[in-house]
Amino acid sequence: MVEIVKAGGWLMAPIILCAIIAMGIMLERFWTLQQKRVLPDDLTSKVWNWVKENSLDHRQIQSLHQGSPLGQILAAGLINRDRERVIMKDSIEDTGRHVVHELERYLDTLGTVAAISPLLGLLGTVIGMVKVFTAITTHGVGNPTVLAGGIAEALITTAAGLTVAIPALIGYRYYRNRVDTLVVDMEKEAIKLVEALHRRQSYNKQSQKDS
């Protein structure tokens, strides 16, 4: 393996660096974007029970905000639960944009790695072929050993670049779709809470009028 890396020339260093970055991002996103970490089971139902029992306080809202991305969004709505529906919805949407930004963290870097890795491999190919033609000009084509180094460099860097780019691109596409799915699910949960709080608010107002 070490001999292959050496044969690929100095461009193998940035290609290996890209591989390390891509692997690190994919492992980190795999851990961060788990369903149970982003959308804990029955979180919305638990929050609604707090509201119905009038047991919701600042400490619970703070804990909810720190617990998960969905919790951050629900906490934004709960802070404004006694205000108008539009204000509550705007607060949730504003927090949602920050949450989405956090969920998409490092994905642009992963996409960049997927894009530049084959280009680095192509650059290695060009450099290797330049060495081949230089060797031909200097020594002719009679000695294949002279040409082998440039050809090996060209092929190894191309293969290495593609080896890094393909899984990086797959990971980028997968996690981008994963984020989109999670965002849609969080929107559904937030809408359910907003509608429930709005109905409760309307009911309380009607009860006050009747009394």
Side-chain angles (χ1 to χ4, degrees):
M1 180 63 71
V2 176
E3 289 75 13
I4 293 176
V5 173
K6 288 181 178 179
W10 65 270
L11 274 171
M12 289 297 290
I15 292 175
I16 292 173
L17 179 61
C18 286
I20 294 171
I21 293 172
M23 181 62 67
I25 292 174
M26 286 191 287
L27 290 175
E28 190 275 338
R29 288 292 91 184
F30 175 78
W31 172 257
T32 302
L33 297 179
Q34 293 181 68
Q35 180 86 12
K36 63 182 180 180
R37 295 179 64 85
V38 180
L39 290 98
D41 293 339
D42 300 325
L43 180 61
T44 306
S45 300
K46 182 167 69 173
V47 169
W48 180 238
N49 287 332
W50 291 345
V51 174
K52 287 194 299 183
E53 296 170 1
N54 292 319
S55 62
L56 193 64
D57 56 25
H58 178 73
R59 181 182 57 81
Q60 287 177 320
I61 293 177
Q62 187 68 21
S63 175
L64 184 65
H65 183 273
Q66 296 174 353
S68 65
L70 176 60
Q72 293 182 42
I73 295 175
L74 299 183
L78 293 172
I79 291 173
N80 297 281
R81 63 188 180 279
D82 296 325
R83 307 181 71 178
E84 295 181 2
R85 185 176 185 274
V86 175
I87 296 176
M88 189 192 312
K89 188 176 179 181
D90 288 343
S91 177
I92 288 176
E93 289 178 351
D94 183 58
T95 303
R97 284 191 289 269
H98 292 287
V99 170
V100 171
H101 178 73
E102 288 298 314
L103 294 179
E104 292 178 344
R105 180 184 290 183
Y106 308 129
L107 290 186
D108 285 342
T109 303
L110 184 60
T112 300
V113 168
I116 67 172
S117 295
L119 296 179
L120 289 172
L122 179 60
L123 178 59
T125 301
V126 172
I127 293 174
M129 295 311 296
V130 168
K131 289 182 178 180
V132 169
F133 287 115
T134 301
I136 291 175
T137 303
T138 305
H139 303 285
V141 295
N143 187 359
T145 305
V146 177
L147 309 180
I151 295 174
E153 182 174 343
L155 296 177
I156 289 171
T157 53
T158 300
L162 292 175
T163 301
V164 175
I166 291 171
L169 181 59
I170 293 173
Y172 173 76
R173 296 290 187 185
Y174 171 77
Y175 288 119
R176 179 66 69 180
N177 291 334
R178 177 70 174 159
V179 169
D180 291 341
T181 301
L182 291 172
V183 168
V184 171
D185 291 340
M186 285 191 294
E187 286 178 351
K188 291 179 180 177
E189 295 298 315
I191 290 172
K192 285 191 332 189
L193 180 65
V194 169
E195 295 298 332
L197 290 172
H198 178 64
R199 287 194 301 268
R200 179 182 175 84
Q201 191 179 67
S202 299
Y203 175 79
N204 291 338
K205 287 180 180 180
Q206 186 64 39
S207 298
Q208 291 174 358
K209 288 180 180 180
D210 293 341
S211 60

